[in-house]
Amino acid sequence: MSPWTHVEDFLRERGADRVPHPGGTLLAHLTRVARLLAEWGADPDVQAAGLCHAAYGTDGFDASLLALTERATLAGLVGDRAEALVRLYAGCDRAAVYPLLGRERPVVFRDRFTGGEHTPSDADLRAFVEITAANELDVLAHHADLAARHGADLYALFARSRDLLSAGAWAACVRQLGPHARPRTSTAPRVTGVDHLVLTVADIERTVDFYRRVLGMEPVTFGEGRRALAFGASKINLHRAGGELLPHAARPTPGSADLCLVTDTPQAQVLEHLAACGITPEEGPVRRTGARGPFLSTYLRDPDGNLVEISTYPDALHDPADG
């Protein structure tokens, strides 16, 4: 039995079962919205607000079951918090508020009844977006034309507001609205590889010696005495901590990097070389997955504590450790 039978009876008394709505009647829609919210794990106040979300009418649905002067009546049925959420939902000026969702925090709401502006709490904003998702998904599930016209825009709205939705609500949005999503534009650049990366280090010459001696990289000097390490078709540029060159990362810190370097040298030989250099691996060889698929990796630390992963793909050279 529904925990909201007394509320449904009240809505029926107010004529909700006689108001047409996609999927049958307004009452049927309201009960489905409450059920969706329950499935997504919404708390009872949000469920009750979902059941009554159109009681005062909405920006997209003019019919109302109660006047705003009757707020105390609804609050007596569902509680002050749930009624306040119904009022928030009913008063939302969607043209003013929807463009802000997922783009600005805090979100300033414009009240379509009063013309005033206010900023809901984070909890109220999350409840509002959750109820919005349940409402729109139910409407579109019962109206193919509306789904075709508005599915893409609603998917974009909920995608950028994803952090405000519960996991269940977002999964439902992807499942139902995902097929309507607009394809990504082809104007984005096609990234084909990594040219170089930058390490911020405490001592540049100590780092150069380590990567030359342990990993066979070639020291390079360029520009106005800048130092780098070349390997294959890529290189590592070195910045001294406290003397970073602009522009640089927001928080350049020695020891914060995690590098994966690919070699065609068998892992057994990698281990022998590390031992000869006096380097004790942190882990490995172990099976991992890289950009091209499974490989074997050995992990070690450089002088700043950066984690360096040395990896061998099985198609590069048959490795006895790989069977």
Side-chain angles (χ1 to χ4, degrees), residues 198-205 207 227 237-245 248 252 254 304:
V198 177
L199 286 183
T200 299
V201 302
D203 185 322
I204 287 180
E205 293 308 318
T207 300
R227 301 287 274 157
N237 290 348
L238 302 175
H239 285 186
R240 181 181 57 80
E244 298 87 1
L245 300 174
H248 57 66
D304 288 288

Side-chain angles (χ1 to χ4, degrees), residues 77-140:
L77 283 170
V78 298
D80 292 340
R81 159 105 171 120
E83 190 281 328
L85 291 174
V86 175
R87 175 64 179 84
L88 177 69
Y89 190 89
C92 175
D93 182 337
R94 296 180 180 179
V97 174
Y98 278 16
L100 305 181
L101 294 175
R103 293 194 174 108
E104 292 188 11
R105 295 284 275 275
V107 178
V108 177
F109 267 55
R110 184 180 185 279
D111 191 315
R112 70 186 182 96
F113 295 124
T114 67
E117 294 185 342
H118 61 103
T119 303
S121 67
D122 187 71
D124 285 358
L125 180 62
R126 292 178 181 278
F128 172 85
V129 176
E130 194 88 348
I131 294 169
T132 299
N135 171 67
E136 299 295 353
L137 291 185
D138 184 72
V139 170
L140 268 57

Side-chain angles (χ1 to χ4, degrees), residues 292-314:
R292 294 194 286 117
F295 56 25
L296 284 177
S297 294
T298 294
Y299 294 86
L300 60 144
R301 299 279 178 181
D302 76 1
D304 288 288
N306 295 305
L307 184 64
V308 181
E309 179 181 357
I310 307 173
S311 303
T312 308
Y313 279 100

